[in-house]
Amino acid sequence: MQHTVEQAILYALDRYHFPGADKFVRACLDAGKMLIILDGLDEVGDAREFVSKQIRNFCRYDERQGVSNRLIVTCRELAYDTQDLRDVIQ
């Protein structure tokens, strides 16, 4: 299943039956109050290009909105090429 970053957040919260997740996530993102941790980027397999694109899209959208949500992406250091996210890594 392929998701945008926001959809992935909602999917994760839905698994725990978080009431009002859509409104909560939207409000947090709009206010720049969200810390998003994406762990295991090297484990996405064939979806690597799609996932990298979604991360880049999220970062660019966030920047255009003038907010400062935080996004942490983890992976095995040597297993993933940082070139995939070079344009949005700070």
Side-chain angles (χ1 to χ4, degrees), residues 2-12 50 54:
Q2 296 183 337
H3 301 287
T4 65
V5 171
E6 184 174 347
Q7 290 169 337
I9 296 166
L10 290 170
Y11 177 77
F50 176 82
Q54 294 308 310

Side-chain angles (χ1 to χ4, degrees), residues 64-80:
R64 283 193 308 271
Q65 298 304 311
V67 296
S68 57
N69 291 292
R70 300 292 183 220
L71 179 69
I72 298 172
V73 180
T74 68
C75 67
R76 292 183 186 107
E77 186 176 335
L78 297 176
Y80 201 82

Side-chain angles (χ1 to χ4, degrees), residues 56-90:
R56 289 191 314 274
N57 288 346
F58 175 82
C59 291
R60 289 181 187 129
Y61 176 80
D62 204 47
E63 186 175 341
R64 283 193 308 271
Q65 298 304 311
V67 296
S68 57
N69 291 292
R70 300 292 183 220
L71 179 69
I72 298 172
V73 180
T74 68
C75 67
R76 292 183 186 107
E77 186 176 335
L78 297 176
Y80 201 82
D81 184 0
T82 59
Q83 297 301 315
D84 292 348
L85 300 174
R86 71 182 170 278
D87 56 332
V88 293
I89 292 177
Q90 296 181 352

Side-chain angles (χ1 to χ4, degrees), residues 36-44 51 55 71-76:
I36 303 153
I37 302 172
L38 302 174
D39 183 36
L41 192 58
D42 56 304
E43 299 174 19
V44 298
V51 171
I55 293 169
L71 179 69
I72 298 172
V73 180
T74 68
C75 67
R76 292 183 186 107

